[in-house]
């Protein structure tokens, strides 16, 4: 069994020191991998992410992250990324990484993702340039996610997002902001490529569990939703390999 | 800035809390009744909760600030979920 620990929306900033660290004490006994689903900072400051990076540095399991909208706020996302990478946190944007865990290849494809809405109520890249830019950004990131997931050669494949691919995990959020919380294009990308698990954050008032239209499990790991340092999901690499050989996505 | 009309005051405060780098919280609930402002939602730490009260008092010095935000716990999970 591969044990995936995941959390998002830590929103680190001045005064956040040691919020996460106590909860990570036994991580090594409980999980093989830690995934961070974006919004690692309050305002996207490299000094903010440094506080988190110092708590993650030297963790005994690999750490993989995507950034969230808060991490872009200061227009310093490249620096935020570098601070994390200096602490051996692998940051994905339209990219993938494969990690060997006890002989099983665990592939993670990640993107921040973006909004737009859901089937029957999605914005169109039509009209003003601002609207085209908004929806165009989601399309571009979804296309890259699909390519990164498809290209993964792994026993288990995980899509790591910040924005939500489905509506089900947004329940509890106000309907008016669904279009700012996620996009079905992310779910379509995952369903086209196939995956074993999709993780996202961003929806602080949502719920944890849902599925893509093709049935792939989705978990909203926003910290205010899971209310723990992280949640753990276990995946069986052998079972998935069999399902893939049979040509199906289970 | 012109003082917002009472109908728009809660939203003006909500916006200010989003853009104040000491807070930067996007999902706080803000209600204003007479000279009392009530704040709700989730926060990551007691320190942040305290800071939100301070910033709200700065923004509305003549108001009573009732901070009912909840500090979200961050302990280890009790168990794990088998997904497949
Ligand atoms: Fe967030
Ligand atoms: Fe977010």
């Amino acid at each position: 069994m591969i044990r995936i620990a995941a959390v998002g929306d830590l929103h680190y900033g001045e005064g956040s020191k040691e919020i996460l660290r106590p909860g990570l004490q036994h991580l090594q006994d409980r999980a093989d991998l830690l995934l961070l689903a974006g919004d690692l900072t309050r305002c996207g400051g490299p000094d903010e992410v440094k506080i988190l990076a110092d708590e993650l540095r030297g963790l005994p399991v690999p750490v993989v992250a995507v950034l969230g909208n808060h991490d872009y706020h200061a227009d310093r996302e490249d620096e935020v990324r570098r601070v994390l990478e200096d602490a051996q946190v692998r940051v994905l944007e339209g990219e993938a990484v494969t990690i060997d865990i006890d002989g099983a290849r665990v592939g993670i494809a990640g993107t921040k993702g973006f909004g737009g809405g859901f089937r029957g109520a999605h914005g169109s890249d039509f009209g003003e340039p601002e609207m085209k830019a908004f929806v165009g950004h989601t399309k571009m990131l979804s296309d890259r996610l699909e390519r990164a997931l498809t290209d993964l050669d792994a026993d288990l494949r995980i899509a790591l997002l910040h924005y939500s691919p489905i509506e089900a995990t947004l329940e509890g959020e106000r309907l008016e902001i669904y279009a700012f919380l996620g996009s079905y294009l992310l779910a379509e990308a995952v369903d086209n490529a196939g995956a074993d698990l999709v993780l996202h954050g961003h929806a602080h008032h949502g719920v944890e569990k849902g599925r893509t239209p093709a049935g792939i499990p989705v978990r909203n790991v926003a910290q205010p939703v899971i209310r723990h340092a992280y949640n753990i999901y276990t995946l069986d690499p052998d079972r998935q390999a069999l399902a893939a050989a049979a040509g199906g996505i289970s | 800035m012109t003082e917002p009309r009472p109908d728009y005051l809660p939203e003006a405060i909500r916006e200010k809390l989003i853009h104040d780098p000491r807070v930067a919280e996007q999902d706080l609930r803000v209600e204003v009744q007479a000279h009392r402002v009530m704040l709700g939602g989730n926060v990551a730490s007691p320190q942040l909760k305290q800071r939100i009260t301070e910033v709200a008092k700065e923004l509305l010095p003549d108001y009573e600030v009732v901070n009912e935000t909840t500090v979200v716990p961050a302990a280890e999970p009790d168990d794990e979920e088998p997904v497949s």
Side-chain angles (χ1 to χ4, degrees), chain A residues 9 39 69-70 162 202 204:
Chain A
D9 300 272
D39 275 1
N69 53 315
H70 280 248
H162 180 60
H202 192 50
H204 295 199

Side-chain angles (χ1 to χ4, degrees), chain A:
Chain A
M1 279 293 185
I2 303 297
R3 303 161 303 167
I4 312 289
V7 64
D9 300 272
L10 295 166
H11 290 268
Y12 261 57
E14 192 227 315
S16 297
K17 204 166 157 19
E18 300 291 316
I19 287 184
L20 192 61
R21 191 81 208 186
L24 293 179
Q25 256 177 11
H26 306 102
L27 181 68
Q28 156 178 42
D29 309 321
R30 313 237 6 220
D32 303 301
L33 195 60
L34 174 63
L35 304 183
L36 303 174
D39 275 1
L40 308 178
T41 64
R42 207 172 282 156
C43 300
D47 49 330
E48 295 180 323
V49 82
K50 175 79 165 50
I51 306 170
L52 176 64
D54 287 343
E55 293 184 31
L56 298 173
R57 197 186 312 276
L59 274 185
V61 302
V63 186
V64 180
V66 295
L67 300 186
N69 53 315
H70 280 248
D71 307 319
Y72 280 75
H73 185 62
D75 288 323
R76 298 175 76 179
E77 61 275 10
D78 293 341
E79 290 167 75
V80 168
R81 181 177 177 137
R82 234 170 295 131
V83 171
L84 287 165
E85 286 170 346
D86 284 346
Q88 268 67 58
V89 176
R90 180 66 196 260
V91 182
L92 304 175
E93 180 46 71
E95 306 152 280
V97 61
T98 308
I99 296 171
D100 199 297
I101 296 169
D102 296 333
R105 291 160 307 158
V106 179
I108 303 132
T111 179
K112 172 181 68 65
F114 200 44
F118 298 91
R119 290 181 297 171
H122 197 278
S124 290
D125 42 0
F126 185 95
E128 304 92 322
E130 289 81 0
M131 197 61 204
K132 288 174 184 153
F134 180 81
V135 179
H137 186 55
T138 311
K139 285 192 169 173
M140 178 190 70
L141 297 183
S142 301
D143 287 348
R144 284 194 198 155
L145 172 68
E146 182 171 336
R147 221 169 312 132
L149 262 180
T150 305
D151 291 348
L152 269 176
D153 180 18
D155 301 308
L156 286 170
R157 289 185 299 164
I158 299 166
L160 179 61
L161 316 173
H162 180 60
Y163 284 76
S164 177
I166 59 167
E167 293 157 275
T169 47
L170 303 184
E171 203 176 326
E173 297 282 1
R174 284 185 50 173
L175 262 176
E176 303 95 301
I177 63 164
Y178 273 34
F180 303 114
L181 294 177
S183 166
Y184 84 90
L185 294 170
L186 295 164
E188 189 175 26
V190 172
D191 281 340
N192 284 343
D196 300 287
L197 175 64
V198 187
L199 298 166
H200 75 86
H202 192 50
H204 295 199
H205 295 285
V207 295
E208 186 194 1
K209 295 179 186 178
R211 282 183 186 277
T212 65
I216 298 171
V218 176
R219 297 292 179 265
N220 174 6
V221 293
Q223 208 274 327
V225 170
I226 63 171
R227 306 183 90 79
H228 286 96
Y230 52 84
N231 266 6
I232 307 168
Y233 306 103
T234 63
L235 298 165
D236 181 352
D238 299 327
R239 197 188 84 101
Q240 292 304 317
L242 285 173
I249 299 161
S250 62

Side-chain angles (χ1 to χ4, degrees), chain A residues 174, chain B residues 1 3-18 25-34 36-40 56 59-60 63:
Chain A
R174 284 185 50 173
Chain B
M1 181 190 123
E3 178 78 8
R5 296 165 50 89
D7 292 345
Y8 296 90
L9 183 59
E11 193 60 14
I13 298 301
R14 207 176 71 83
E15 269 293 311
K16 287 228 160 93
L17 291 172
I18 291 171
E25 269 297 333
Q26 283 197 292
D27 40 30
L28 293 176
R29 239 179 23 252
V30 180
E31 286 169 42
V32 178
Q33 276 174 13
R36 172 187 287 177
V37 54
M38 274 152 317
L39 306 169
L59 294 170
L60 295 169
Y63 286 68

